[in-house]
Amino acid sequence: MNLAKRIQTLSPSPTLAITAKAQELKQAGHDVIGLGVGEPDFNTPEFIIQAAKQAMDDGHTKYTPAGGILELKKAIAAKLAKDNSLTYDPDQIIVTSGAKYALYNLFQVLLSPGDEVIVPAPYWVSYPEQVKLANGEPVIVKGEEANDFKITPEQLKAAITNQTKALILNSPSNPTGMMYNADELAQLGEICLQNNLMIISDEIYEELIYTTDVHVSIAQISPELKESTIIINGVSKSHAMTGWRIGFAAGPKKIIKAMTSLASHATSNPASISQYAALAAYEGGEEEIEEMRSQFSARLDMLYDMIMDVPGMACRKPKGAFYLFPNVEETVRMTGYSSVDEWVKALLEEQRVALVPGSGFGSPENVRLSYATSMEILEEAAKRIKQFVLDHQK
């Protein structure tokens, strides 16, 4: 049996590949440190867990509306008003089975065969693949490291064609942790308005910022940009709820209605119990978010200093998310390896440290390190990485 052409175009996930190899070594009894994970290591706050238990006791174990329960939509609207100064009605919001499905659903309703989506690189690994699954064409525009990996207005203009349908923005970014400021967003937004492009603003790391920089949604810049923007967000990163699978999209009613229709045939609805847990998350618990953010900030400072002490490594200090994205070109050269992927594989085999090669993020000169683990583990990982480099240094 031949598989569908759309599935044959997908690129294998480097994150899953390195995770599988790390698991194989762990099962063989090796002491492996995995820095590839893309989720907080904290458990979901207790008040959210209790809300889920209460939802079950109250009988909220049935189907819900395809786009999510009204109470949660109202809580999301209140969050957007409080945190982002944006006003949305419940029918401009869809609750989804994770922010990843919100993106997948959006591309399915937005793209026709041949439509192009501009994807700034480095990018989250699923953006290009989801565009391809919707029969669209991802157009990769590389953000230069010297510009904190962000694309410029000139680069955006040069990438636009008659087939361009949308631009993806992810701020703070996975994998770089960098952010666009209001002026940068305004310039990019103006070009999108001039060319009638939709803007997909992935803001999933909004709560995890470790500088005085303020998160700005491009939808805040002007009413016109708000009408051209679909915000993607959720509770996975902000509330340590990756396994609960609750995300949302907020945007123009026409698009949200189409997404809701598609969801009704795809997932029926997000898990009912998870929705009530997310409702509790949005209605309280800011101290838990701040505690998690504070610990991430301390880990970043420690790990960044240690990574910068590794021979050949260069790294721009991120402002948000929970990743470092160092350039290891010089390190790879001085240790005698032919590519970053080869270097990462050898590091795992010899020192039992699992990193994700940047090739999967559209940046083959870099590696991604997650600091979503304890200080002790991060310190040991950094020591092993440095020792590996010293052992192989030519």
Side-chain angles (χ1 to χ4, degrees), residues 42-296:
F42 306 97
N43 195 21
T44 303
E46 182 62 25
F47 78 97
I48 297 173
I49 293 172
Q50 290 304 318
K53 292 177 179 178
Q54 187 63 52
M56 288 186 278
D57 289 341
D58 292 343
H60 296 305
T61 57
K62 310 295 183 184
Y63 290 128
T64 76
I69 59 173
L70 181 59
E71 301 97 312
L72 180 52
K73 288 186 176 186
K74 288 181 176 179
I76 291 168
K79 171 261 177 293
L80 290 165
K82 177 174 70 75
D83 296 343
N84 310 105
S85 302
L86 291 167
T87 301
Y88 289 92
D89 295 327
D91 60 0
Q92 293 177 287
I93 295 167
I94 177 175
V95 182
T96 57
S97 300
K100 180 182 282 190
Y101 178 69
L103 286 161
Y104 178 87
N105 183 315
L106 174 60
F107 289 127
Q108 292 294 321
V109 305
L110 202 60
L111 301 181
S112 297
D115 283 346
E116 295 175 353
V117 178
I118 296 174
V119 183
Y123 47 73
W124 178 51
V125 295
S126 292
Y127 292 147
E129 309 310 317
Q130 290 192 351
V131 170
K132 288 188 285 185
L133 283 169
N135 294 317
E137 299 290 336
V139 176
I140 309 303
V141 178
K142 188 172 175 85
E144 296 301 326
E145 203 157 341
N147 192 43
D148 286 345
F149 300 103
K150 295 179 285 189
I151 66 168
T152 65
E154 292 73 25
Q155 287 179 295
L156 176 57
K157 284 180 185 177
I160 295 172
T161 72
N162 290 336
Q163 285 73 48
T164 307
K165 189 72 173 283
L167 165 69
I168 299 175
L169 289 174
N170 178 208
S171 178
S173 160
N174 172 9
T176 70
M178 296 304 180
M179 298 167 56
Y180 287 89
N181 63 38
D183 288 341
E184 292 165 336
L185 291 172
Q187 292 179 58
L188 296 175
E190 183 59 32
I191 295 167
C192 290
L193 290 175
Q194 291 169 0
N195 291 274
N196 196 31
L197 305 186
M198 292 302 303
I199 302 165
I200 301 162
S201 184
D202 184 347
E203 304 177 12
I204 196 71
Y205 291 97
E206 170 192 17
E207 296 285 354
L208 299 176
I209 298 171
Y210 316 113
T211 65
T212 56
D213 297 79
V214 177
H215 171 265
V216 178
S217 171
I218 195 167
Q220 293 175 247
I221 302 295
S222 70
E224 293 78 15
L225 280 171
K226 179 173 179 280
E227 282 302 305
S228 297
T229 298
I230 301 97
I231 292 174
I232 306 293
N233 209 329
V235 291
S236 290
K237 316 298 183 181
S238 60
H239 293 80
M241 293 178 67
T242 51
W244 299 80
R245 309 313 303 135
I246 294 293
F248 71 82
K253 291 181 182 180
K254 180 179 179 179
I255 293 175
I256 298 302
K257 182 179 179 180
M259 292 178 69
T260 304
S261 294
L262 176 58
S264 72
H265 293 290
T267 59
S268 290
N269 57 265
S272 60
I273 298 154
S274 295
Q275 290 188 64
Y276 283 95
L279 175 61
Y282 280 127
E283 289 183 339
E286 291 187 9
E287 61 275 9
E288 284 87 353
I289 295 176
E290 176 53 31
E291 174 60 26
M292 184 167 63
R293 193 207 64 79
S294 176
Q295 291 196 43
F296 276 137

Side-chain angles (χ1 to χ4, degrees), residues 332 335-350 357 359 388:
V332 170
T335 51
Y337 290 93
S338 61
S339 70
V340 172
D341 288 51
E342 185 183 271
W343 184 88
V344 167
K345 182 181 178 183
L347 173 66
L348 176 58
E349 291 174 346
E350 292 186 30
S359 54
F388 175 76

